[in-house]
Amino acid sequence: MRTIFAYLFAFLGIILCTPYHLYLYLLAKKDQEKAYRHAQKLVKGFFGIVLFICGAKRTVIGLERVPKDQPILFVGNHRSFFDILCCHNALDRPLGFMSKDGILKVPILPWYMKDIGCTFLDRSDLKKGLETILQSADIVKSGHSMMVFPEGHRNDGEELLPFKDGAYKIAQKAGCPIVPVSICGTDNIMEANKHNFIRSHKVVIEFLDPIDINGLKPKERKEVLETIPALIQEARVKNLPLATKK
């Protein structure tokens, strides 16, 4: 029943909120910042209801480590579509995501993603990819945090996939700190289940200590960035018992 209710609510919610998206589109022409705030509230409320219907039981660790009053580039491992919902609602700040450009083929959904400052990466075209990174950096410079998943796609393995370096360039161009994020348990809500049935499950999200790469020489910056996947994996392994505990 969770699966039916979740899909039905998501479908109807996206359709019925279309007039509000049009309002946000017009508002953004006059006041982009106000439009962002309204869009974030709408999406946060929508995500909250979906997570409630799906029975996602979230534990959030390390929010006190996240720097306040400045935009952040959040970098996380990627287990599930629910990574986005859980991370967005764990943070009390505007948050956009870098997504693959294939999502642009999905009807209506990309409208709402653009409303909250999401960008869309075309990995097949280096020039377009760089433009997306610069666009994302501009959004961060304007005061809005972004989250990226450098593995490139959802990973159901025990080890993290190699991180793509391009994501870090957002922080480098925007001059913002990087906060690694460890995510575990989200795939057990849907992707790990037969036929993608939705089941109630515990989710653990941990925000790790911020990393500042500003002012570092290229070699130093490379060495620091190479430590991020191991930090995330260490926290994920540590938190797995919390995500599976009954």
Side-chain angles (χ1 to χ4, degrees):
M1 291 301 290
R2 287 186 188 276
T3 304
I4 295 173
F5 284 138
Y7 279 108
L8 185 61
F9 174 80
F11 175 76
L12 292 177
I14 290 172
I15 297 295
L16 295 177
C17 287
T18 301
Y20 194 73
H21 159 74
L22 297 176
Y23 161 73
L24 293 175
Y25 175 78
L26 296 174
L27 178 61
K29 292 181 177 296
K30 298 178 180 179
D31 190 334
Q32 179 67 70
E33 183 62 29
K34 188 175 181 180
Y36 268 138
R37 291 198 303 270
H38 282 290
Q40 291 286 341
K41 288 181 180 178
L42 172 68
V43 171
K44 189 175 289 290
F46 179 81
F47 283 175
I49 296 173
V50 172
L51 291 171
F52 175 77
I53 293 173
C54 294
K57 303 169 184 177
R58 292 168 292 161
T59 297
V60 181
I61 303 169
L63 276 177
E64 71 282 356
R65 300 171 185 150
V66 180
K68 297 178 174 60
D69 303 321
Q70 69 179 118
I72 305 293
L73 178 69
F74 294 95
V75 175
N77 62 301
H78 199 13
R79 304 291 300 182
S80 165
F81 169 78
F82 283 91
D83 296 341
I84 295 171
L85 282 71
C86 291
C87 289
H88 187 280
N89 277 34
L91 292 161
D92 187 20
R93 65 172 67 206
L95 183 66
F97 297 83
M98 178 183 284
S99 173
K100 291 185 290 187
D101 66 334
I103 199 72
L104 292 170
K105 298 177 182 178
V106 178
I108 304 178
L109 180 61
W111 298 353
Y112 296 98
M113 296 176 68
K114 291 176 182 178
D115 287 342
I116 63 170
C118 293
T119 57
F120 306 90
L121 182 66
D122 182 353
R123 293 197 183 94
S124 65
D125 189 315
L126 290 176
K127 183 179 179 180
K128 289 183 179 179
L130 179 58
E131 289 174 354
T132 301
I133 289 171
L134 294 176
Q135 179 190 3
S136 302
D138 286 341
I139 290 173
V140 176
K141 286 179 184 177
S142 74
H144 295 271
S145 297
M146 293 281 295
M147 185 165 189
V148 296
F149 301 106
E151 288 179 284
H153 56 82
R154 293 191 295 272
N155 172 25
D156 60 2
E158 292 302 317
E159 300 295 328
L160 270 61
L161 299 173
F163 276 25
K164 295 175 170 54
D165 296 338
Y168 299 131
K169 294 186 184 300
I170 298 173
Q172 187 179 340
K173 298 289 184 183
C176 70
I178 297 170
V179 171
V181 185
S182 167
I183 304 168
C184 57
T186 47
D187 51 327
N188 289 307
I189 298 174
M190 184 175 73
E191 285 87 349
N193 303 324
K194 188 176 181 180
H195 304 306
N196 282 343
F197 284 154
I198 291 173
R199 303 185 189 282
S200 174
H201 203 276
K202 292 182 179 180
V203 172
V204 181
I205 299 171
E206 182 170 0
F207 296 94
L208 307 181
D209 290 324
I211 296 172
D212 191 350
I213 60 173
N214 291 312
L216 296 181
K217 295 179 180 179
K219 183 179 179 181
E220 295 173 325
R221 183 168 62 242
K222 184 174 184 293
E223 291 174 351
V224 170
L225 294 175
E226 285 178 345
T227 67
I228 292 179
L231 292 172
I232 292 175
Q233 176 68 350
E234 181 182 2
R236 195 183 79 82
V237 171
K238 179 197 70 174
N239 292 329
L240 274 174
L242 294 176
T244 56
K245 184 178 179 181
K246 293 184 180 180

